[in-house]
Amino acid sequence: MAQTLDGKLVAQKVLAEVKAGVSALKDRTGTVPTLAAVLLGDFAPSKIYVANKKKMAAEAGIASRDFLYPEGLSQPDLLALLRRLNADPAIHGILLQLPLPQGCDEDEAIAAIAPEKDVDGFHPMNLGHLLAGAPTVLPCTPAGVMEILDHYGVELKGAEAVVVGRSRIVGKPLAQLLLARHATVTMCHTRTRDLAAHTLRAEVLCVAAGRPQVIKGEMVREGAVVVDVGINRLESGKLVGDVDFESASKRARAITPVPGGVGPMTVAMLMRNTLQAAKRQLQV
Ligand code: GUN
């Protein structure tokens, strides 16, 4: 049976570090790092994410300001809101929850966030730094995956790493982070011809396909480390990942569960990014 990679545990460790950093910053400058979350529409998973974020921010001592627009906003009004938040010195981080409702231009909205307040690392300038290998704010979920791998001492140098899914939020930045750590990285996606041929070679298999249980045990290399980024609710109400945990854990050496794997890490990394953004803006 595979070892369980406990994201909750690693997230608690990160959160404790952030909490100490927030407290030190407050003592030194009198400033409480403040995160603004902008949520348009009423997409249920987004509402859950923003609620989790609010809870973890409170735990870390970070202040939350939520800008909720269940009915949506026009693109000009959204851009005006982002400009207002950019200009507000009391706001250190801006989280624009994705996906935006239909009719909004996601690329334009992300580019309108001040790069120094972009705690998601999605601004083209920050993504450019990531591609260049320069220090920058890292997208939260991929950063969380790397934190789990590092916590458990998974060797990446020279390892065969396969990433399934090529999203802006997870797959693409995660591939860059693995590459920066000298893994040999293969990216698979919906048009990949023989998915299993690739996943079977993976010593480190990261799955962010957005499709429930697409990776079965027989697609996993014996002894692989499997990181399941997916979170899907089946009709039965059960939460499952993009990996079939039961069959995959018979072949993997180690695997993240769903829930309790990558999920808690994303929000913890968002807190770390918010603290870092506040420190940079306060020049401490
Ligand atoms: N939607 C799903 N994941 C994320 C995330 O990490 N950040 C933002 N802004 N939106 C998301």
Side-chain angles (χ1 to χ4, degrees):
M1 235 10 214
Q3 176 190 15
T4 297
L5 304 175
D6 186 347
K8 254 195 195 153
L9 177 91
V10 186
Q12 282 305 324
K13 185 187 81 169
V14 171
L15 209 62
E17 280 165 23
V18 173
K19 194 172 174 173
V22 167
S23 165
L25 183 69
K26 202 171 150 195
D27 288 347
R28 192 158 155 203
T29 65
T31 301
V32 176
T34 301
L35 173 62
V38 179
L39 174 56
L40 272 56
D42 67 349
F43 184 50
S46 291
K47 288 199 286 193
I48 294 170
Y49 182 61
V50 170
N52 284 343
K53 178 227 52 136
K54 202 176 169 126
K55 206 170 110 202
M56 255 207 210
E59 251 178 73
I62 289 175
S64 284
R65 300 257 312 267
D66 290 346
F67 296 82
L68 309 177
Y69 299 92
E71 309 294 324
L73 273 182
S74 69
Q75 183 75 6
D77 285 349
L78 173 59
L79 296 179
L81 170 65
L82 295 173
R83 278 195 290 270
R84 228 172 46 238
L85 298 173
N86 286 343
D88 183 346
I91 302 272
H92 305 100
I94 301 171
L95 167 94
L96 174 61
Q97 184 62 34
L98 302 178
L100 294 179
Q102 276 210 333
C104 282
D105 181 337
E106 219 158 79
D107 289 336
E108 187 186 37
I110 290 169
I113 296 170
E116 68 275 14
K117 295 193 179 185
D118 167 35
V119 284
D120 264 317
F122 295 158
H123 189 283
M125 199 177 94
N126 291 325
L127 285 175
H129 287 316
L130 174 62
L131 196 61
T136 186
V137 55
L138 300 179
C140 304
T141 303
V145 171
M146 299 305 285
E147 196 75 24
I148 291 181
L149 294 174
D150 285 342
H151 177 86
Y152 285 98
V154 176
E155 174 73 271
L156 293 172
K157 195 156 89 181
E160 289 285 345
V162 172
V163 177
V164 182
R166 55 176 160 180
S167 68
R168 166 186 7 218
I169 293 177
V170 186
K172 282 185 197 164
L174 179 56
Q176 286 303 320
L177 292 175
L178 291 164
L179 196 56
R181 298 287 296 278
H182 313 291
T184 300
V185 183
T186 302
M187 292 203 70
C188 299
H189 44 78
T190 43
R191 311 288 166 90
T192 296
R193 227 176 288 131
D194 184 355
L195 181 60
H198 295 285
T199 58
L200 275 169
R201 281 194 300 102
E203 293 168 292
V204 178
L205 176 61
C206 301
V207 188
R211 280 191 288 156
Q213 300 173 311
V214 277
I215 303 297
K216 312 287 182 202
E218 68 261 24
M219 298 165 77
V220 174
R221 178 173 169 166
E222 203 68 53
V225 173
V226 179
V227 179
D228 187 352
V229 181
I231 180 150
N232 312 278
R233 196 174 286 281
L234 298 181
E235 269 178 30
S236 65
K238 188 176 177 212
L239 275 184
V240 298
D242 291 354
V243 177
D244 177 27
F245 184 86
E246 206 176 311
S247 58
S249 57
K250 292 197 175 104
R251 302 203 11 161
R253 159 164 81 81
I255 185 167
T256 60
V258 175
V262 176
M265 290 307 299
T266 299
V267 196
M269 301 319 276
L270 178 69
M271 297 305 132
R272 180 187 276 176
N273 285 349
T274 304
L275 171 62
Q276 276 171 358
K279 283 167 85 169
R280 270 197 308 274
Q281 282 155 60
L282 295 163
Q283 298 182 325
V284 295

